[in-house]
Amino acid sequence: MTDSAPSRLLVETREIDPVEDLLEFTDPASPLVWLRRGDGMIGFGSAARIEVRGATPRGARARTLAQAWRSWSAAAVVHDEVGVPGTGLVAFGALAFDDTSPSSSVLIVPAVVVGRRGARSWVTRIRTEGAAEVGPVAPRPYGPHWSATVGPGELGPEGYQSAVREALTAIADGDLGKVVLARDLVGTVPADADLRRLSRALSTGYPDTWAYAVDGIIGASPETLVTVSGGTVTARVLAGTASRGADADADTAASLALTTSAKDLDEHAYAVQSVLATLRPHTSALTASEQPFALKLPNVWHLATDVEGELRNGGSALDLVGTLHPTAAVAGTPTDVALAAIRRLEPFDRGRYAGPVGWVDARGDGEWAIALRCAQFGAADATSGTIAVVAHAGAGIVAGSDPESEMLETRVKFRPIVDALA
């Protein structure tokens, strides 16, 4: 674990004139972003950071981060004249999918946060006691347009179908009920690429998703892992996917086929029960709709179920992240058996793909999504003048899954990030 934990954080939030484009205020090379329908916040600089590395038991990384966050929050001195979600002391976070991953899990407290919610905009400045305040952060014009060079990774279409067949054998043998398998694309972008352009393309093209950027992972997720606000817990479960139709009639038919598909309904039920079983010990009055609804996105239909309850044990959003992740929607069931199958069948480490990404405030409130429809960026290579980039997309495998259809589903799920990279 690496930890730049301060003895005390001094935090001041004040209202500012309306901000039209939040992305102009974040770092072009390393953006910190959380946006949905134009509202949200960006971060700039780093007042504090904690990074957890090395193999740990499932959920231990999130617990370590949650404990550190409670300590930081308890010691902080906060002056917040705005008092809406996202003001005061906040941290952006991104966790590895697998706690045995060599990739780290991180919480970052920005030196400056610029946010907007409805008609109100604000700036929060955060510093350690005794440190100088960061100077004014001015909007920066976007850099030139750029495009990525992206191609097949370690698991191409044929290899992916082979992995699906192996998973189906394990399911038929009764070893597990569902496993989510991903494949990868790899490539490069120019070393001086303004990565805010990727966030802008995703947030504009997919406004109903969570557009996020944290420590090199950038994407637009349709799936809320958990939201905590004033003691109310909400989550949206997505599992079961169909491509949008080419015209209105075909689109209606695609939606109907998805909502009546026994295979997709079974896959969705696994995911919903996983979330309900995990949340039940931590909540009261937990409810979920009896039947999933079809969620329409620009490129796909998803089966979706909204879950809501009341937090009853004084926990935070980050505590629930550690409890919920990984859900059956991104791993499978039983969880430990599914994780073992993923490690065996995927020839790569997922890094932070399909891990939790979001933010938490000093009260423990926050919004966390699952890092989907994303790309992960490495450090710039001075020799080649490029930055390595990897993207992943997955599909849930259950009894009755067809290897070719599952591969085609991943192709559809790649589209948002591949189009944005281009």
Side-chain angles (χ1 to χ4, degrees):
M1 180 177 72
T2 58
D3 186 353
S4 63
S7 56
R8 178 175 293 183
L9 289 167
L10 307 180
V11 184
E12 183 175 4
T13 299
R14 61 180 179 83
E15 195 151 3
I16 58 174
D17 291 337
V19 175
E20 184 175 346
D21 185 357
L22 291 170
L23 289 172
E24 290 185 338
F25 290 85
T26 193
D27 187 341
S30 184
L32 279 170
V33 176
W34 186 261
L35 295 175
R36 188 173 187 227
R37 299 193 188 112
D39 284 356
M41 53 192 172
I42 64 87
F44 181 85
S46 177
R49 175 186 178 104
I50 181 171
E51 198 162 2
V52 183
R53 297 181 179 272
T56 65
R58 180 159 59 91
R61 290 191 184 190
R63 288 191 293 272
T64 298
L65 295 176
Q67 182 177 354
W69 183 245
R70 274 191 290 272
S71 297
W72 295 5
S73 299
V77 178
V78 180
H79 298 282
D80 179 3
E81 68 176 38
V82 181
V84 299
T87 62
L89 177 62
V90 297
F92 291 71
L95 280 65
F97 168 77
D98 190 340
D99 280 348
T100 67
S101 169
S103 296
S104 66
S105 300
V106 65
L107 273 185
I108 301 170
V109 180
V112 178
V113 177
V114 182
R116 182 180 68 209
R117 191 169 290 268
R120 305 186 74 182
S121 296
W122 68 88
V123 61
T124 300
R125 297 185 178 278
I126 307 170
R127 62 184 174 90
T128 55
E129 194 169 31
E133 188 176 274
V134 173
V137 178
R140 294 194 198 184
Y142 288 94
H145 286 278
W146 51 268
S147 61
T149 301
V150 179
E154 295 185 65
L155 193 61
E158 292 302 321
Y160 183 77
Q161 291 180 66
S162 178
V164 171
R165 285 189 284 270
E166 289 190 52
L168 287 169
T169 298
I171 290 169
D173 290 343
D175 296 336
L176 71 167
K178 173 185 175 180
V179 62
V180 180
L181 293 180
R183 65 186 183 97
D184 60 331
L185 297 175
V186 298
T188 59
V189 301
D192 61 352
D194 185 338
L195 298 181
R196 298 174 303 173
R197 284 195 173 276
L198 180 56
S199 289
R200 187 166 74 163
L202 290 168
S203 63
T204 301
Y206 299 84
D208 290 325
T209 66
W210 298 111
Y212 59 88
V214 181
D215 202 44
I217 185 164
I218 303 175
S221 178
E223 185 155 3
T224 306
L225 178 62
V226 67
T227 296
V228 176
S229 180
T232 298
V233 180
T234 57
R236 170 165 287 181
V237 183
L238 304 184
T241 306
S243 298
R244 295 287 306 277
D247 54 41
D249 289 341
D251 205 32
T252 299
S255 173
L256 179 61
L258 178 64
T259 56
T260 57
S261 163
K263 175 262 179 188
D264 288 294
L265 289 168
D266 283 348
E267 179 186 344
H268 188 79
Y270 279 124
V272 173
Q273 291 307 313
S274 166
V275 170
L276 290 174
T278 304
L279 282 178
R280 200 165 280 121
H282 306 278
T283 58
S284 59
L286 186 65
T287 61
S289 52
E290 291 187 9
Q291 297 294 326
F293 63 92
L295 176 67
K296 182 169 68 173
L297 295 175
N299 62 321
V300 295
W301 290 97
H302 284 302
L303 289 179
T305 293
D306 287 332
V307 176
E308 182 173 329
E310 296 300 317
L311 194 62
R312 69 180 185 187
N313 60 358
S316 71
L318 195 50
D319 290 310
L320 291 182
V321 164
T323 300
L324 283 166
H325 178 75
T327 68
V330 292
T333 186
T335 305
D336 288 334
V337 179
L339 287 172
I342 289 168
R343 294 171 192 141
R344 183 177 72 253
L345 296 174
E346 294 180 359
F348 46 74
D349 175 65
R350 290 187 178 186
R352 294 171 180 162
Y353 163 72
V357 61
W359 64 271
V360 63
D361 71 10
R363 295 175 295 274
D365 289 354
E367 297 169 322
W368 291 81
I370 298 174
L372 304 172
R373 317 297 192 268
C374 60
Q376 300 178 77
F377 294 84
D381 184 328
T383 302
S384 66
T386 61
I387 299 170
V389 59
V390 59
H392 298 87
I397 313 305
V398 296
S401 290
D402 172 68
E404 184 177 7
S405 297
E406 302 300 339
M407 187 275 293
L408 293 174
E409 180 177 320
T410 66
R411 186 175 293 171
V412 172
K413 290 177 175 177
F414 268 128
R415 198 182 101 191
I417 192 66
V418 169
D419 286 353
L421 287 169

